[in-house]
């Protein structure tokens, strides 16, 4: 586990690639412009990587822009079937599993311009739970009515 703090991810479309050396770090993102920020988790995780945990905290509001995260489990990995999103739709709390079978390796979070479940204060915790498997836990802080688009797929 690193003893260094995580860095700040810029408000840009630049890809950010995490490594297993980022274990234990908390990163902040100031994504606020109309960009798609690609996030890559460490590739080809093995049993030696189990327990690796990386946290991303959304430290800026997307405002009236359509910001987007394109999160990739990366080469040789999938998202764990136990992953989940806890968010809000209007005033109701919604728990949404992010996969049903653990075959997906891409997650898009679209932060709509006026209503989004994912905005400033939201966080994502990535934990390697098995060789080739990343558990994703998303805790949302909404803006507007809190509707958001979370799309999972295999690439």
């Amino acid at each position: 586990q690193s003893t260094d703090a995580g860095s700040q991810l810029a408000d840009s479309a630049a890809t950010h690639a995490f490594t297993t050396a980022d274990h234990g770090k908390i990163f902040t993102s100031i994504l606020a412009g109309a960009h798609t920020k690609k996030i890559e988790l460490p590739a080809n995780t093995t049993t030696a990587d189990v327990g690796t945990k990386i946290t991303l905290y959304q430290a800026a509001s997307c405002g009236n822009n359509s910001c987007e995260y394109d999160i990739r489990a990366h080469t040789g990995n999938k998202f764990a079937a136990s992953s989940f999103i806890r968010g809000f739709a209007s005033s109701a709390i919604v728990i949404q599993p992010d996969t049903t079978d653990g075959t997906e390796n891409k997650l898009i979070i679209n932060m709509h311009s006026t209503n989004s479940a994912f905005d400033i204060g939201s966080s994502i915790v990535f934990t390697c739970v098995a060789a080739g498997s990343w558990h994703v836990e998303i805790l949302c802080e909404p803006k507007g009515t809190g509707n958001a688009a979370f799309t999972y797929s295999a690439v």
Side-chain angles (χ1 to χ4, degrees):
Q1 176 171 332
S2 172
T3 57
D4 296 329
S7 59
Q8 184 175 77
L9 280 59
D11 179 24
S12 72
T15 297
H16 185 88
F18 289 117
T19 70
T20 53
D22 291 324
H23 170 57
K25 293 181 182 179
I26 298 173
F27 292 80
T28 57
S29 175
I30 57 168
L31 181 64
H35 306 293
T36 296
K37 166 79 70 190
K38 187 174 180 183
I39 304 288
E40 295 177 341
L41 296 173
N44 298 310
T45 56
T46 66
T47 54
D49 300 315
V50 171
T52 298
K53 183 181 282 191
I54 302 166
T55 301
L56 179 63
Y57 180 79
Q58 181 66 25
S61 177
C62 195
N64 288 324
N65 295 313
S66 287
C67 310
E68 186 172 83
Y69 283 107
D70 176 350
I71 301 169
R72 306 292 178 100
H74 213 302
T75 306
N77 299 325
K78 306 288 184 207
F79 292 125
S82 61
S83 298
F84 71 92
I85 299 165
R86 186 194 72 186
F88 300 88
S90 296
S91 60
I93 295 176
V94 177
I95 305 284
Q96 173 186 340
D98 85 342
T99 68
T100 55
D101 59 12
T103 63
E104 294 88 354
N105 58 3
K106 177 180 177 180
L107 166 61
I108 298 290
I109 302 174
N110 187 317
M111 298 183 276
H112 301 287
S113 58
T114 55
N115 296 307
S116 178
F118 194 92
D119 200 55
I120 188 169
S122 297
S123 63
I124 309 171
V125 178
F126 305 102
T127 305
C128 182
V129 293
S133 184
W134 285 97
H135 178 270
V136 180
E137 176 183 332
I138 300 175
L139 303 177
C140 299
E141 292 293 334
K143 70 175 173 185
T145 57
N147 298 316
F150 296 94
T151 308
Y152 312 91
S153 62
V155 291

